[in-house]
Amino acid sequence: MDMQLDQAWQELLQAQERPVGGLVCSDVPEVPGVYLWRHDGALSYVGTASNLRGRVWSTHLGGGTSLAGSSLRRNVGELLFEIPPSRTAKPNRQLVTAAQAAEIREWLWEGTVAWVERRTRHQAGAYEAELRRSHLPPLNRV
């Protein structure tokens, strides 16, 4: 891993981790950035957002039975229920049951999340792409 990439990972890994179960909406800033999800202390997912609050709070922590808008929720659905993400993504949009949606949400709420803010959506996207080139967390897809 080159020095610049190592520094990028260190910045994200050293960002303040917050227990998802203790978050309130206003804790998450409405700015572009990159976020890191951990479950049981293990790196699980890295994502980018033009609005961290919208992506982390509304999209990933939503409780609906459609997983189409959240690759993280789709991939947790695969982990827990062996439902291929292609079946719950657009354009298929297969719904999960209310019980499955609740279990996915509970799995996410048991984790921690950290984020690094960026000035623009483009900067956040470039930062995430740099990180994903070197390490693909288990719930990210190529």
Side-chain angles (χ1 to χ4, degrees), residues 83-138:
I83 302 169
S86 61
R87 288 192 15 216
T88 54
K90 297 173 186 173
N92 302 328
R93 293 183 186 224
Q94 174 185 328
L95 302 180
V96 295
T97 67
Q100 288 170 322
E103 197 168 331
I104 291 167
R105 192 166 196 257
E106 182 179 322
W107 190 96
L108 292 167
W109 278 89
E110 291 170 352
T112 62
V113 65
W115 57 80
V116 174
E117 298 177 18
R118 288 294 182 256
R119 285 192 352 237
T120 67
R121 176 178 57 94
H122 177 73
Q123 287 177 337
Y127 181 54
E128 181 209 22
E130 185 178 337
L131 295 173
R132 287 183 63 168
R133 272 194 302 273
S134 69
H135 182 70
L136 191 61

Side-chain angles (χ1 to χ4, degrees), residues 41-117:
L43 172 64
S44 298
Y45 187 85
V46 165
T48 187
S50 57
N51 177 326
L52 285 164
R53 181 180 299 167
R55 190 73 179 147
V56 169
W57 187 262
S58 300
T59 303
H60 293 323
L61 294 176
T65 57
S66 173
L67 309 181
S70 170
S71 58
L72 176 56
R73 290 181 75 217
R74 284 193 305 276
N75 296 337
V76 171
E78 180 181 37
L79 175 73
L80 297 177
F81 306 110
E82 299 180 1
I83 302 169
S86 61
R87 288 192 15 216
T88 54
K90 297 173 186 173
N92 302 328
R93 293 183 186 224
Q94 174 185 328
L95 302 180
V96 295
T97 67
Q100 288 170 322
E103 197 168 331
I104 291 167
R105 192 166 196 257
E106 182 179 322
W107 190 96
L108 292 167
W109 278 89
E110 291 170 352
T112 62
V113 65
W115 57 80
V116 174
E117 298 177 18

Side-chain angles (χ1 to χ4, degrees), residues 5 13 18 25 34 36 38 62 75 86 103 109 120 123 140:
L5 191 54
L13 292 172
R18 295 162 172 88
C25 185
V34 174
L36 169 71
R38 291 180 189 265
N75 296 337
S86 61
E103 197 168 331
W109 278 89
T120 67
Q123 287 177 337
N140 285 96

Side-chain angles (χ1 to χ4, degrees), residues 9-29:
W9 268 112
Q10 287 307 313
E11 180 182 15
L12 186 56
L13 292 172
Q14 292 174 5
Q16 179 185 356
E17 281 190 60
R18 295 162 172 88
V20 176
L23 279 179
V24 294
C25 185
S26 61
D27 289 340
V28 187

